[in-house]
Amino acid sequence: GSKLKIPFVKHELNFRGHSYSNRFLFGCLPKHWYTHDKEHVFTDLMTAAAREALFMSTTGVTDPFSGKTYWCMMLGMVGDWPWLAKSGGLNRTFNHVQKRTNVRNPPAGICHLCQAGQDHVAYEEINTRRPAWLNTVNVQSPFGQPSAFEIVPHPPGKLAEMWKYDAFHCFHLGVGRQFLGSYLALLSEFQEG
């Protein structure tokens, strides 16, 4: 790899060895500890994580040997979609894709950042650089209840942007898989066998 001359740009995370020794684990819960009548346990964990993120961004920690104080800023959260939906208490997720033509209630939408998938905004509009959903980004809150992460510094009106899309889960296991399957089906029409 290339040698970086600027030390503050260099990532010095160590991902060698066992993940228990190189990840910054905050908490770990088996599913049966926070489901059914124990939903509050997951909420309490998210509240504790938000408080820690606030503390690290405003107070920081001081090294007792050097006297230097270090701060951390939470830029966002990444994970698979079920976890993101649960951790944010999101009302609009991939789970709300309309599967029937006749529906009793208007669709909630499929994206936590915009109104894509609601009655007036198509989510599969890929034939333009100006899809209808683009004008609805950060217009409507995706939270079913106040989020524990509201206390973490974030751009005003853009709390939903703390829950980040993950290229692996969204493309490889989502759009990319569908695209590749469609591409292979079309390609099979041009080649024997």
Side-chain angles (χ1 to χ4, degrees):
S2 63
K3 300 274 185 189
L4 293 174
K5 303 274 187 212
I6 308 168
F8 61 85
V9 175
K10 195 171 176 184
H11 288 241
E12 295 185 4
L13 295 177
N14 176 15
F15 290 114
R16 291 186 185 157
H18 198 281
S19 59
Y20 286 169
S21 64
N22 59 32
R23 302 294 195 276
F24 304 110
L25 184 65
F26 179 76
C28 185
L29 293 173
K31 191 171 185 175
H32 68 275
W33 284 8
Y34 64 87
T35 52
H36 305 298
D37 61 336
K38 301 174 195 160
E39 286 281 329
H40 66 280
V41 173
F42 188 82
T43 304
D44 291 347
L45 181 65
M46 292 300 101
T47 301
R51 287 183 182 146
E52 285 295 313
L54 176 64
F55 178 84
M56 289 303 297
S57 64
T58 57
T59 305
V61 292
T62 303
D63 179 0
F65 300 107
S66 68
K68 288 183 179 179
T69 301
Y70 298 91
W71 295 270
C72 259
M73 181 59 69
M74 182 175 168
L75 301 176
M77 293 172 268
V78 178
D80 65 11
W81 271 112
W83 186 86
L84 289 175
K86 184 159 185 66
S87 68
L90 303 176
N91 282 340
R92 296 190 312 263
T93 71
F94 69 97
N95 283 325
H96 297 120
V97 171
Q98 187 173 332
K99 296 171 182 78
R100 297 181 187 93
T101 49
N102 297 330
V103 292
R104 293 181 189 175
N105 299 318
I110 66 159
C111 178
H112 70 289
L113 297 175
C114 68
Q115 294 174 326
Q118 293 181 2
D119 275 339
H120 63 289
V121 185
Y123 67 90
E124 292 178 320
E125 192 177 8
I126 59 172
N127 60 340
T128 176
R129 292 194 182 268
R130 292 251 175 246
W133 57 261
L134 195 58
N135 291 326
T136 67
V137 173
N138 289 317
V139 168
Q140 183 184 49
S141 173
F143 303 105
Q145 58 200 19
S147 171
F149 293 95
E150 286 178 332
I151 63 173
V152 177
H154 62 278
K158 296 182 178 183
L159 179 62
E161 291 182 16
M162 295 291 276
W163 285 264
K164 305 288 186 186
Y165 289 105
D166 174 13
F168 175 77
H169 289 100
C170 291
F171 187 78
H172 181 67
L173 292 176
V175 177
R177 179 173 55 182
Q178 304 300 327
F179 174 77
L180 186 60
S182 300
Y183 179 77
L184 291 172
L186 286 173
L187 190 61
S188 71
E189 294 179 10
F190 295 103
Q191 190 169 346
E192 299 257 343

Tab-separated table of all heavy atoms in Angstrom, residues 92-153:
chain	number	residue	atom	x	y	z
A	92	ARG	N	-40.367	3.474	8.847
A	92	ARG	CA	-40.255	3.237	7.405
A	92	ARG	C	-38.998	2.404	7.161
A	92	ARG	O	-37.886	2.870	7.357
A	92	ARG	CB	-40.172	4.561	6.652
A	92	ARG	CG	-41.410	5.406	6.790
A	92	ARG	CD	-41.393	6.595	5.854
A	92	ARG	NE	-40.168	7.367	5.838
A	92	ARG	CZ	-39.973	8.487	6.544
A	92	ARG	NH1	-40.918	8.951	7.339
A	92	ARG	NH2	-38.844	9.140	6.438
A	93	THR	N	-39.205	1.157	6.702
A	93	THR	CA	-38.086	0.265	6.413
A	93	THR	C	-38.433	-0.613	5.228
A	93	THR	O	-39.558	-0.574	4.721
A	93	THR	CB	-37.762	-0.662	7.612
A	93	THR	OG1	-38.816	-1.626	7.743
A	93	THR	CG2	-37.602	0.106	8.904
A	94	PHE	N	-37.483	-1.435	4.832
A	94	PHE	CA	-37.693	-2.382	3.734
A	94	PHE	C	-38.850	-3.333	4.018
A	94	PHE	O	-39.435	-3.902	3.100
A	94	PHE	CB	-36.414	-3.189	3.486
A	94	PHE	CG	-36.089	-4.140	4.608
A	94	PHE	CD1	-36.457	-5.467	4.523
A	94	PHE	CD2	-35.446	-3.687	5.751
A	94	PHE	CE1	-36.175	-6.336	5.563
A	94	PHE	CE2	-35.163	-4.547	6.793
A	94	PHE	CZ	-35.525	-5.885	6.700
A	95	ASN	N	-39.196	-3.519	5.286
A	95	ASN	CA	-40.307	-4.411	5.645
A	95	ASN	C	-41.653	-3.888	5.168
A	95	ASN	O	-42.636	-4.625	5.187
A	95	ASN	CB	-40.375	-4.608	7.166
A	95	ASN	CG	-39.319	-5.559	7.651
A	95	ASN	OD1	-38.978	-6.508	6.961
A	95	ASN	ND2	-38.793	-5.297	8.827
A	96	HIS	N	-41.718	-2.635	4.770
A	96	HIS	CA	-42.982	-2.034	4.365
A	96	HIS	C	-43.188	-2.003	2.856
A	96	HIS	O	-44.033	-1.265	2.366
A	96	HIS	CB	-43.093	-0.610	4.932
A	96	HIS	CG	-43.117	-0.593	6.419
A	96	HIS	ND1	-42.174	0.070	7.156
A	96	HIS	CD2	-43.944	-1.181	7.305
A	96	HIS	CE1	-42.437	-0.107	8.443
A	96	HIS	NE2	-43.501	-0.860	8.549
A	97	VAL	N	-42.427	-2.796	2.132
A	97	VAL	CA	-42.626	-2.865	0.680
A	97	VAL	C	-44.028	-3.395	0.421
A	97	VAL	O	-44.442	-4.396	0.993
A	97	VAL	CB	-41.577	-3.794	0.019
A	97	VAL	CG1	-41.911	-4.045	-1.431
A	97	VAL	CG2	-40.202	-3.186	0.131
A	98	GLN	N	-44.759	-2.697	-0.437
A	98	GLN	CA	-46.128	-3.108	-0.749
A	98	GLN	C	-46.095	-4.363	-1.598
A	98	GLN	O	-45.460	-4.403	-2.646
A	98	GLN	CB	-46.847	-1.973	-1.493
A	98	GLN	CG	-48.303	-2.244	-1.703
A	98	GLN	CD	-49.010	-1.035	-2.291
A	98	GLN	OE1	-48.605	0.093	-2.083
A	98	GLN	NE2	-50.067	-1.296	-3.030
A	99	LYS	N	-46.762	-5.403	-1.134
A	99	LYS	CA	-46.730	-6.699	-1.822
A	99	LYS	C	-48.029	-7.008	-2.561
A	99	LYS	O	-48.090	-7.933	-3.353
A	99	LYS	CB	-46.422	-7.801	-0.806
A	99	LYS	CG	-45.038	-7.642	-0.189
A	99	LYS	CD	-44.836	-8.594	0.968
A	99	LYS	CE	-43.487	-8.402	1.607
A	99	LYS	NZ	-43.379	-7.263	2.476
A	100	ARG	N	-49.085	-6.243	-2.290
A	100	ARG	CA	-50.384	-6.469	-2.930
A	100	ARG	C	-50.842	-5.186	-3.613
A	100	ARG	O	-50.497	-4.087	-3.197
A	100	ARG	CB	-51.420	-6.863	-1.872
A	100	ARG	CG	-51.106	-8.155	-1.188
A	100	ARG	CD	-52.191	-8.485	-0.159
A	100	ARG	NE	-51.823	-9.636	0.624
A	100	ARG	CZ	-51.201	-9.586	1.782
A	100	ARG	NH1	-50.876	-8.417	2.311
A	100	ARG	NH2	-50.892	-10.680	2.433
A	101	THR	N	-51.680	-5.340	-4.638
A	101	THR	CA	-52.204	-4.153	-5.307
A	101	THR	C	-53.292	-3.480	-4.476
A	101	THR	O	-53.403	-2.267	-4.475
A	101	THR	CB	-52.768	-4.509	-6.705
A	101	THR	OG1	-53.632	-5.629	-6.582
A	101	THR	CG2	-51.652	-4.799	-7.672
A	102	ASN	N	-54.093	-4.269	-3.777
A	102	ASN	CA	-55.127	-3.701	-2.914
A	102	ASN	C	-54.626	-3.689	-1.474
A	102	ASN	O	-54.281	-4.729	-0.930
A	102	ASN	CB	-56.417	-4.532	-2.989
A	102	ASN	CG	-57.010	-4.524	-4.376
A	102	ASN	OD1	-56.845	-3.558	-5.104
A	102	ASN	ND2	-57.676	-5.598	-4.755
A	103	VAL	N	-54.587	-2.509	-0.874
A	103	VAL	CA	-54.153	-2.394	0.518
A	103	VAL	C	-55.203	-1.637	1.327
A	103	VAL	O	-55.900	-0.775	0.805
A	103	VAL	CB	-52.786	-1.671	0.639
A	103	VAL	CG1	-51.675	-2.512	0.065
A	103	VAL	CG2	-52.812	-0.312	-0.027
A	104	ARG	N	-55.315	-1.972	2.606
A	104	ARG	CA	-56.292	-1.309	3.476
A	104	ARG	C	-55.809	0.062	3.927
A	104	ARG	O	-56.560	1.010	3.982
A	104	ARG	CB	-56.565	-2.173	4.707
A	104	ARG	CG	-57.257	-3.458	4.370
A	104	ARG	CD	-57.529	-4.250	5.609
A	104	ARG	NE	-58.002	-5.573	5.227
A	104	ARG	CZ	-58.234	-6.535	6.047
A	104	ARG	NH1	-58.049	-6.365	7.339
A	104	ARG	NH2	-58.652	-7.700	5.617
A	105	ASN	N	-54.536	0.128	4.293
A	105	ASN	CA	-53.955	1.386	4.781
A	105	ASN	C	-52.914	1.884	3.789
A	105	ASN	O	-52.253	1.090	3.125
A	105	ASN	CB	-53.286	1.162	6.142
A	105	ASN	CG	-54.282	0.692	7.174
A	105	ASN	OD1	-55.392	1.196	7.250
A	105	ASN	ND2	-53.893	-0.307	7.955
A	106	PRO	N	-52.742	3.189	3.714
A	106	PRO	CA	-51.700	3.703	2.817
A	106	PRO	C	-50.336	3.177	3.258
A	106	PRO	O	-50.078	3.051	4.454
A	106	PRO	CB	-51.778	5.222	2.987
A	106	PRO	CG	-52.920	5.508	3.871
A	106	PRO	CD	-53.447	4.228	4.425
A	107	PRO	N	-49.444	2.846	2.309
A	107	PRO	CA	-48.136	2.317	2.667
A	107	PRO	C	-47.305	3.335	3.455
A	107	PRO	O	-47.329	4.528	3.169
A	107	PRO	CB	-47.482	1.987	1.330
A	107	PRO	CG	-48.319	2.611	0.281
A	107	PRO	CD	-49.638	2.944	0.869
A	108	ALA	N	-46.563	2.830	4.448
A	108	ALA	CA	-45.747	3.689	5.318
A	108	ALA	C	-44.514	4.209	4.609
A	108	ALA	O	-43.987	5.256	4.964
A	108	ALA	CB	-45.332	2.911	6.565
A	109	GLY	N	-44.034	3.482	3.622
A	109	GLY	CA	-42.793	3.848	2.943
A	109	GLY	C	-41.704	2.856	3.290
A	109	GLY	O	-41.780	2.152	4.285
A	110	ILE	N	-40.664	2.811	2.450
A	110	ILE	CA	-39.614	1.808	2.638
A	110	ILE	C	-38.280	2.404	3.060
A	110	ILE	O	-37.354	1.668	3.359
A	110	ILE	CB	-39.407	0.985	1.357
A	110	ILE	CG1	-38.859	1.855	0.232
A	110	ILE	CG2	-40.687	0.295	0.950
A	110	ILE	CD1	-38.179	1.082	-0.855
A	111	CYS	N	-38.155	3.710	3.071
A	111	CYS	CA	-36.872	4.360	3.365
A	111	CYS	C	-37.010	5.283	4.566
A	111	CYS	O	-37.921	6.107	4.612
A	111	CYS	CB	-36.405	5.152	2.150
A	111	CYS	SG	-34.864	6.052	2.427
A	112	HIS	N	-36.093	5.154	5.510
A	112	HIS	CA	-36.148	6.004	6.700
A	112	HIS	C	-35.723	7.438	6.407
A	112	HIS	O	-36.003	8.337	7.185
A	112	HIS	CB	-35.276	5.406	7.814
A	112	HIS	CG	-33.813	5.480	7.564
A	112	HIS	ND1	-33.185	4.714	6.606
A	112	HIS	CD2	-32.856	6.228	8.146
A	112	HIS	CE1	-31.897	4.994	6.618
A	112	HIS	NE2	-31.667	5.905	7.542
A	113	LEU	N	-35.088	7.676	5.280
A	113	LEU	CA	-34.621	9.022	4.953
A	113	LEU	C	-35.616	9.826	4.119
A	113	LEU	O	-35.574	11.054	4.127
A	113	LEU	CB	-33.293	8.950	4.192
A	113	LEU	CG	-32.119	8.352	4.959
A	113	LEU	CD1	-30.906	8.224	4.063
A	113	LEU	CD2	-31.813	9.192	6.179
A	114	CYS	N	-36.480	9.147	3.380
A	114	CYS	CA	-37.394	9.857	2.484
A	114	CYS	C	-38.760	9.169	2.493
A	114	CYS	O	-38.995	8.248	3.244
A	114	CYS	CB	-36.821	9.907	1.070
A	114	CYS	SG	-36.759	8.306	0.253
A	115	GLN	N	-39.643	9.618	1.624
A	115	GLN	CA	-41.000	9.074	1.566
A	115	GLN	C	-41.178	8.056	0.442
A	115	GLN	O	-42.303	7.755	0.062
A	115	GLN	CB	-41.997	10.225	1.421
A	115	GLN	CG	-42.017	11.122	2.647
A	115	GLN	CD	-42.906	12.340	2.452
A	115	GLN	OE1	-43.015	12.877	1.359
A	115	GLN	NE2	-43.528	12.770	3.535
A	116	ALA	N	-40.079	7.498	-0.050
A	116	ALA	CA	-40.156	6.488	-1.098
A	116	ALA	C	-41.013	5.320	-0.632
A	116	ALA	O	-40.869	4.838	0.480
A	116	ALA	CB	-38.758	5.996	-1.466
A	117	GLY	N	-41.915	4.896	-1.506
A	117	GLY	CA	-42.794	3.775	-1.189
A	117	GLY	C	-44.137	4.200	-0.625
A	117	GLY	O	-45.010	3.361	-0.423
A	118	GLN	N	-44.320	5.485	-0.374
A	118	GLN	CA	-45.641	5.964	0.031
A	118	GLN	C	-46.465	6.176	-1.228
A	118	GLN	O	-45.944	6.144	-2.344
A	118	GLN	CB	-45.522	7.244	0.857
A	118	GLN	CG	-44.845	7.006	2.193
A	118	GLN	CD	-44.740	8.269	3.043
A	118	GLN	OE1	-45.196	9.339	2.666
A	118	GLN	NE2	-44.110	8.122	4.196
A	119	ASP	N	-47.765	6.376	-1.065
A	119	ASP	CA	-48.667	6.459	-2.217
A	119	ASP	C	-48.203	7.415	-3.317
A	119	ASP	O	-48.285	7.098	-4.488
A	119	ASP	CB	-50.073	6.898	-1.764
A	119	ASP	CG	-50.906	5.721	-1.293
A	119	ASP	OD1	-50.583	4.573	-1.661
A	119	ASP	OD2	-51.867	5.951	-0.550
A	120	HIS	N	-47.705	8.561	-2.935
A	120	HIS	CA	-47.379	9.590	-3.920
A	120	HIS	C	-45.920	9.564	-4.375
A	120	HIS	O	-45.515	10.377	-5.206
A	120	HIS	CB	-47.702	10.974	-3.339
A	120	HIS	CG	-46.871	11.316	-2.130
A	120	HIS	ND1	-47.045	10.693	-0.912
A	120	HIS	CD2	-45.865	12.195	-1.981
A	120	HIS	CE1	-46.185	11.186	-0.044
A	120	HIS	NE2	-45.451	12.099	-0.668
A	121	VAL	N	-45.107	8.610	-3.869
A	121	VAL	CA	-43.680	8.589	-4.205
A	121	VAL	C	-43.229	7.164	-4.542
A	121	VAL	O	-43.118	6.313	-3.664
A	121	VAL	CB	-42.825	9.129	-3.030
A	121	VAL	CG1	-41.368	9.214	-3.433
A	121	VAL	CG2	-43.320	10.480	-2.564
A	122	ALA	N	-42.960	6.919	-5.828
A	122	ALA	CA	-42.503	5.595	-6.254
A	122	ALA	C	-41.090	5.340	-5.751
A	122	ALA	O	-40.255	6.239	-5.753
A	122	ALA	CB	-42.525	5.508	-7.776
A	123	TYR	N	-40.826	4.126	-5.288
A	123	TYR	CA	-39.479	3.826	-4.806
A	123	TYR	C	-38.623	3.130	-5.865
A	123	TYR	O	-37.423	3.002	-5.688
A	123	TYR	CB	-39.516	2.980	-3.526
A	123	TYR	CG	-40.046	1.571	-3.698
A	123	TYR	CD1	-39.197	0.518	-4.008
A	123	TYR	CD2	-41.389	1.293	-3.526
A	123	TYR	CE1	-39.677	-0.770	-4.145
A	123	TYR	CE2	-41.881	0.013	-3.656
A	123	TYR	CZ	-41.018	-1.011	-3.968
A	123	TYR	OH	-41.506	-2.275	-4.104
A	124	GLU	N	-39.211	2.691	-6.948
A	124	GLU	CA	-38.453	2.012	-7.992
A	124	GLU	C	-38.197	2.912	-9.191
A	124	GLU	O	-37.973	2.442	-10.296
A	124	GLU	CB	-39.180	0.748	-8.429
A	124	GLU	CG	-39.200	-0.307	-7.346
A	124	GLU	CD	-39.954	-1.541	-7.748
A	124	GLU	OE1	-41.011	-1.399	-8.389
A	124	GLU	OE2	-39.488	-2.637	-7.425
A	125	GLU	N	-38.214	4.196	-8.990
A	125	GLU	CA	-37.996	5.146	-10.071
A	125	GLU	C	-36.499	5.276	-10.328
A	125	GLU	O	-35.801	6.076	-9.697
A	125	GLU	CB	-38.593	6.510	-9.678
A	125	GLU	CG	-38.683	7.478	-10.809
A	125	GLU	CD	-39.349	8.777	-10.394
A	125	GLU	OE1	-39.607	8.976	-9.191
A	125	GLU	OE2	-39.591	9.596	-11.278
A	126	ILE	N	-36.000	4.457	-11.257
A	126	ILE	CA	-34.564	4.416	-11.512
A	126	ILE	C	-34.199	4.955	-12.899
A	126	ILE	O	-33.039	4.953	-13.276
A	126	ILE	CB	-34.018	2.980	-11.365
A	126	ILE	CG1	-34.723	2.040	-12.332
A	126	ILE	CG2	-34.146	2.503	-9.938
A	126	ILE	CD1	-34.130	0.648	-12.390
A	127	ASN	N	-35.177	5.444	-13.643
A	127	ASN	CA	-34.926	5.911	-15.002
A	127	ASN	C	-34.645	7.410	-15.081
A	127	ASN	O	-34.683	7.986	-16.150
A	127	ASN	CB	-36.119	5.562	-15.897
A	127	ASN	CG	-37.402	6.206	-15.395
A	127	ASN	OD1	-37.487	6.594	-14.229
A	127	ASN	ND2	-38.394	6.309	-16.256
A	128	THR	N	-34.335	8.029	-13.948
A	128	THR	CA	-34.088	9.466	-13.939
A	128	THR	C	-33.078	9.816	-12.852
A	128	THR	O	-32.920	9.083	-11.884
A	128	THR	CB	-35.397	10.242	-13.688
A	128	THR	OG1	-35.104	11.635	-13.605
A	128	THR	CG2	-36.070	9.811	-12.383
A	129	ARG	N	-32.428	10.940	-13.023
A	129	ARG	CA	-31.513	11.441	-11.986
A	129	ARG	C	-32.259	12.329	-10.986
A	129	ARG	O	-31.680	12.785	-10.020
A	129	ARG	CB	-30.364	12.209	-12.621
A	129	ARG	CG	-29.439	11.321	-13.416
A	129	ARG	CD	-28.159	12.048	-13.744
A	129	ARG	NE	-27.295	11.225	-14.539
A	129	ARG	CZ	-26.368	10.426	-14.049
A	129	ARG	NH1	-26.193	10.340	-12.755
A	129	ARG	NH2	-25.606	9.703	-14.849
A	130	ARG	N	-33.537	12.566	-11.237
A	130	ARG	CA	-34.372	13.377	-10.354
A	130	ARG	C	-35.626	12.595	-9.952
A	130	ARG	O	-36.744	12.970	-10.329
A	130	ARG	CB	-34.773	14.672	-11.058
A	130	ARG	CG	-33.617	15.593	-11.289
A	130	ARG	CD	-33.800	16.758	-10.365
A	130	ARG	NE	-32.705	17.683	-10.391
A	130	ARG	CZ	-31.918	17.874	-9.352
A	130	ARG	NH1	-32.082	17.197	-8.251
A	130	ARG	NH2	-30.967	18.777	-9.389
A	131	PRO	N	-35.462	11.492	-9.199
A	131	PRO	CA	-36.642	10.736	-8.779
A	131	PRO	C	-37.490	11.545	-7.803
A	131	PRO	O	-36.992	12.450	-7.131
A	131	PRO	CB	-36.040	9.500	-8.092
A	131	PRO	CG	-34.682	9.924	-7.669
A	131	PRO	CD	-34.221	10.941	-8.673
A	132	ALA	N	-38.768	11.231	-7.739
A	132	ALA	CA	-39.703	11.979	-6.883
A	132	ALA	C	-39.297	11.940	-5.413
A	132	ALA	O	-39.495	12.910	-4.682
A	132	ALA	CB	-41.117	11.424	-7.060
A	133	TRP	N	-38.704	10.843	-4.964
A	133	TRP	CA	-38.348	10.721	-3.547
A	133	TRP	C	-37.247	11.691	-3.138
A	133	TRP	O	-37.098	12.016	-1.972
A	133	TRP	CB	-37.950	9.285	-3.193
A	133	TRP	CG	-36.824	8.718	-3.989
A	133	TRP	CD1	-36.927	7.889	-5.056
A	133	TRP	CD2	-35.427	8.934	-3.781
A	133	TRP	NE1	-35.679	7.578	-5.540
A	133	TRP	CE2	-34.743	8.214	-4.760
A	133	TRP	CE3	-34.692	9.676	-2.868
A	133	TRP	CZ2	-33.349	8.207	-4.864
A	133	TRP	CZ3	-33.307	9.670	-2.956
A	133	TRP	CH2	-32.653	8.939	-3.946
A	134	LEU	N	-36.458	12.170	-4.098
A	134	LEU	CA	-35.331	13.052	-3.787
A	134	LEU	C	-35.773	14.329	-3.063
A	134	LEU	O	-35.092	14.816	-2.171
A	134	LEU	CB	-34.585	13.387	-5.079
A	134	LEU	CG	-33.198	13.988	-4.945
A	134	LEU	CD1	-32.266	13.076	-4.155
A	134	LEU	CD2	-32.614	14.230	-6.335
A	135	ASN	N	-36.936	14.844	-3.426
A	135	ASN	CA	-37.447	16.063	-2.785
A	135	ASN	C	-38.072	15.802	-1.417
A	135	ASN	O	-38.513	16.738	-0.757
A	135	ASN	CB	-38.478	16.744	-3.687
A	135	ASN	CG	-37.853	17.322	-4.929
A	135	ASN	OD1	-36.719	17.788	-4.906
A	135	ASN	ND2	-38.569	17.278	-6.025
A	136	THR	N	-38.124	14.531	-0.998
A	136	THR	CA	-38.754	14.215	0.284
A	136	THR	C	-37.746	13.792	1.356
A	136	THR	O	-38.137	13.359	2.433
A	136	THR	CB	-39.800	13.094	0.116
A	136	THR	OG1	-39.139	11.872	-0.226
A	136	THR	CG2	-40.828	13.452	-0.947
A	137	VAL	N	-36.451	13.924	1.063
A	137	VAL	CA	-35.417	13.549	2.032
A	137	VAL	C	-35.513	14.452	3.264
A	137	VAL	O	-35.562	15.672	3.151
A	137	VAL	CB	-34.012	13.609	1.400
A	137	VAL	CG1	-32.922	13.384	2.444
A	137	VAL	CG2	-33.883	12.587	0.281
A	138	ASN	N	-35.576	13.833	4.439
A	138	ASN	CA	-35.653	14.512	5.739
A	138	ASN	C	-36.891	15.395	5.916
A	138	ASN	O	-36.889	16.318	6.729
A	138	ASN	CB	-34.384	15.327	6.017
A	138	ASN	CG	-33.209	14.440	6.302
A	138	ASN	OD1	-33.313	13.462	7.029
A	138	ASN	ND2	-32.065	14.762	5.720
A	139	VAL	N	-37.946	15.125	5.145
A	139	VAL	CA	-39.185	15.893	5.275
A	139	VAL	C	-40.064	15.335	6.392
A	139	VAL	O	-40.688	16.072	7.129
A	139	VAL	CB	-39.955	15.907	3.922
A	139	VAL	CG1	-41.357	16.440	4.082
A	139	VAL	CG2	-39.190	16.718	2.893
A	140	GLN	N	-40.072	14.005	6.528
A	140	GLN	CA	-40.968	13.340	7.479
A	140	GLN	C	-40.134	12.469	8.419
A	140	GLN	O	-39.277	11.708	7.979
A	140	GLN	CB	-41.950	12.477	6.684
A	140	GLN	CG	-42.996	11.775	7.503
A	140	GLN	CD	-43.842	10.873	6.611
A	140	GLN	OE1	-43.322	10.094	5.831
A	140	GLN	NE2	-45.154	11.013	6.725
A	141	SER	N	-40.401	12.573	9.709
A	141	SER	CA	-39.667	11.774	10.691
A	141	SER	C	-39.983	10.288	10.540
A	141	SER	O	-41.134	9.908	10.413
A	141	SER	CB	-40.017	12.213	12.112
A	141	SER	OG	-39.424	11.335	13.053
A	142	PRO	N	-38.943	9.429	10.591
A	142	PRO	CA	-39.169	7.993	10.487
A	142	PRO	C	-39.324	7.307	11.849
A	142	PRO	O	-39.467	6.098	11.912
A	142	PRO	CB	-37.885	7.504	9.818
A	142	PRO	CG	-36.843	8.399	10.382
A	142	PRO	CD	-37.518	9.752	10.528
A	143	PHE	N	-39.287	8.078	12.923
A	143	PHE	CA	-39.253	7.489	14.255
A	143	PHE	C	-40.655	7.288	14.809
A	143	PHE	O	-41.467	8.200	14.826
A	143	PHE	CB	-38.432	8.364	15.204
A	143	PHE	CG	-37.030	8.597	14.713
A	143	PHE	CD1	-36.662	9.810	14.171
A	143	PHE	CD2	-36.091	7.581	14.775
A	143	PHE	CE1	-35.378	10.019	13.697
A	143	PHE	CE2	-34.805	7.776	14.305
A	143	PHE	CZ	-34.449	8.994	13.762
A	144	GLY	N	-40.898	6.069	15.306
A	144	GLY	CA	-42.180	5.747	15.912
A	144	GLY	C	-42.314	6.352	17.296
A	144	GLY	O	-43.409	6.582	17.785
A	145	GLN	N	-41.191	6.616	17.923
A	145	GLN	CA	-41.135	7.227	19.252
A	145	GLN	C	-39.850	8.041	19.301
A	145	GLN	O	-38.986	7.853	18.453
A	145	GLN	CB	-41.130	6.138	20.326
A	145	GLN	CG	-39.972	5.176	20.182
A	145	GLN	CD	-40.235	3.876	20.900
A	145	GLN	OE1	-41.352	3.532	21.215
A	145	GLN	NE2	-39.190	3.125	21.158
A	146	PRO	N	-39.704	8.926	20.258
A	146	PRO	CA	-38.456	9.686	20.327
A	146	PRO	C	-37.248	8.749	20.429
A	146	PRO	O	-37.273	7.760	21.155
A	146	PRO	CB	-38.620	10.517	21.604
A	146	PRO	CG	-40.097	10.621	21.797
A	146	PRO	CD	-40.670	9.334	21.271
A	147	SER	N	-36.213	9.042	19.677
A	147	SER	CA	-35.022	8.206	19.653
A	147	SER	C	-34.081	8.562	20.797
A	147	SER	O	-33.889	9.736	21.117
A	147	SER	CB	-34.278	8.390	18.326
A	147	SER	OG	-33.027	7.750	18.370
A	148	ALA	N	-33.469	7.547	21.383
A	148	ALA	CA	-32.467	7.761	22.433
A	148	ALA	C	-31.287	8.550	21.881
A	148	ALA	O	-30.605	9.263	22.625
A	148	ALA	CB	-31.983	6.419	22.976
A	149	PHE	N	-31.061	8.477	20.586
A	149	PHE	CA	-29.902	9.124	19.973
A	149	PHE	C	-30.127	10.604	19.642
A	149	PHE	O	-29.241	11.247	19.094
A	149	PHE	CB	-29.458	8.336	18.739
A	149	PHE	CG	-28.906	6.987	19.098
A	149	PHE	CD1	-29.719	5.878	19.075
A	149	PHE	CD2	-27.596	6.846	19.497
A	149	PHE	CE1	-29.234	4.630	19.431
A	149	PHE	CE2	-27.091	5.606	19.862
A	149	PHE	CZ	-27.913	4.491	19.827
A	150	GLU	N	-31.278	11.136	19.993
A	150	GLU	CA	-31.523	12.573	19.802
A	150	GLU	C	-30.509	13.419	20.566
A	150	GLU	O	-30.220	14.539	20.177
A	150	GLU	CB	-32.936	12.948	20.273
A	150	GLU	CG	-34.021	12.506	19.353
A	150	GLU	CD	-35.407	12.861	19.883
A	150	GLU	OE1	-35.587	12.955	21.113
A	150	GLU	OE2	-36.311	13.042	19.060
A	151	ILE	N	-29.966	12.877	21.651
A	151	ILE	CA	-29.026	13.639	22.477
A	151	ILE	C	-27.631	13.717	21.867
A	151	ILE	O	-26.830	14.563	22.253
A	151	ILE	CB	-28.933	13.057	23.909
A	151	ILE	CG1	-28.380	11.627	23.892
A	151	ILE	CG2	-30.288	13.116	24.599
A	151	ILE	CD1	-28.099	11.045	25.267
A	152	VAL	N	-27.327	12.850	20.902
A	152	VAL	CA	-26.015	12.834	20.272
A	152	VAL	C	-25.943	13.986	19.268
A	152	VAL	O	-26.887	14.197	18.498
A	152	VAL	CB	-25.785	11.476	19.554
A	152	VAL	CG1	-24.456	11.459	18.822
A	152	VAL	CG2	-25.869	10.344	20.551
A	153	PRO	N	-24.850	14.759	19.260
A	153	PRO	CA	-24.753	15.855	18.288
A	153	PRO	C	-24.939	15.358	16.855
A	153	PRO	O	-24.341	14.361	16.449
A	153	PRO	CB	-23.326	16.383	18.502
A	153	PRO	CG	-22.994	16.014	19.909
A	153	PRO	CD	-23.687	14.699	20.142
